[in-house]
Amino acid sequence: MKKLILLSLIFLSCNHITPGSTIPDKEIKRIEEIGLLDKGETIIRFYSESDDEAGNFFTEKRLASYWLDKHDPARSKASFAYYADIKAIDTFYNPGLTYCPYLKVTKKDGTTFKVCADGEKADVKAFFEEAMTRWKAGMLKHKSKDFSLARSPSCFGLKARYQ
């Protein structure tokens, strides 16, 4: 009985959404090593179903997900997309009994991956909404750069007028 309680506590302790600031340095280093985080990039929200084998998160510039198979590294998987490279994000709050809620991220090249997050309903909703808000802000920022380049005076043959 004691073992069952201990296992339940261990499972529940790592199965929730946490602020990026609470992730141990060892985990941050692992995420950097697998290429999902640049030096100086900050994880905003993080979710994992295990202490060191899987993670789902978003930063100020990307959404990412990874699963590391210690027994068969060839089965390990890591996916990410910068906000500017995302075509669509679909939310799945109730994907069925065997899956936790997830964001389906569709990149502009047509590839997809999932970013999972489970826990209290309000926490999952907040995770999804903040990720979506950051994606939309990243898209607007990217589009405004494109717009300003496309609308520069030289594009309209007005270069001489503005010099």
Side-chain angles (χ1 to χ4, degrees):
M1 181 67 168
K2 287 181 182 179
K3 287 183 181 181
L4 180 62
I5 292 171
L6 181 59
L7 286 173
S8 296
L9 287 173
I10 290 170
F11 177 73
L12 291 173
S13 68
C14 61
N15 194 6
H16 62 280
I17 298 165
T18 61
S21 60
T22 64
I23 301 169
D25 290 341
K26 181 178 105 177
E27 186 70 16
I28 296 292
K29 185 174 169 110
R30 178 184 297 111
I31 295 168
E32 289 173 347
E33 287 171 355
I34 60 177
L36 296 178
L37 193 67
D38 296 335
K39 292 280 184 196
E41 187 176 1
T42 304
I43 294 175
I44 297 162
R45 293 274 178 261
F46 182 85
Y47 170 76
S48 179
E49 291 180 359
S50 71
D51 282 332
D52 61 352
E53 296 174 356
N56 301 268
F57 63 90
F58 61 91
T59 72
E60 67 274 7
K61 63 183 184 180
R62 76 174 90 199
L63 280 158
S65 177
Y66 65 93
W67 179 67
L68 306 174
D69 189 325
K70 292 178 183 177
H71 303 292
D72 185 2
R75 293 182 56 200
S76 294
K77 197 167 139 179
S79 303
F80 79 91
Y82 293 112
Y83 296 129
D85 297 329
I86 297 173
K87 178 181 178 183
I89 298 176
D90 297 304
T91 57
F92 292 86
Y93 283 94
N94 301 304
L97 295 175
T98 58
Y99 296 102
C100 71
Y102 64 91
L103 297 170
K104 179 182 173 188
V105 179
T106 304
K107 295 168 68 170
K108 290 179 180 175
D109 67 6
T111 59
T112 64
F113 67 96
K114 295 177 183 177
V115 175
C116 301
D118 204 0
E120 295 293 325
K121 193 178 240 181
D123 293 338
V124 172
K125 185 175 189 245
F127 183 103
F128 286 3
E129 287 179 355
E130 186 170 2
M132 298 279 286
T133 298
R134 288 185 178 273
W135 166 56
K136 289 174 185 173
M139 280 183 16
L140 290 174
K141 183 177 178 183
H142 184 71
K143 284 184 179 182
S144 70
K145 284 181 185 176
D146 291 346
F147 181 78
S148 66
L149 291 173
R151 300 286 185 207
S152 65
S154 61
C155 292
F156 294 109
L158 304 173
K159 187 175 182 180
R161 185 175 179 191
Y162 286 96
Q163 286 182 332

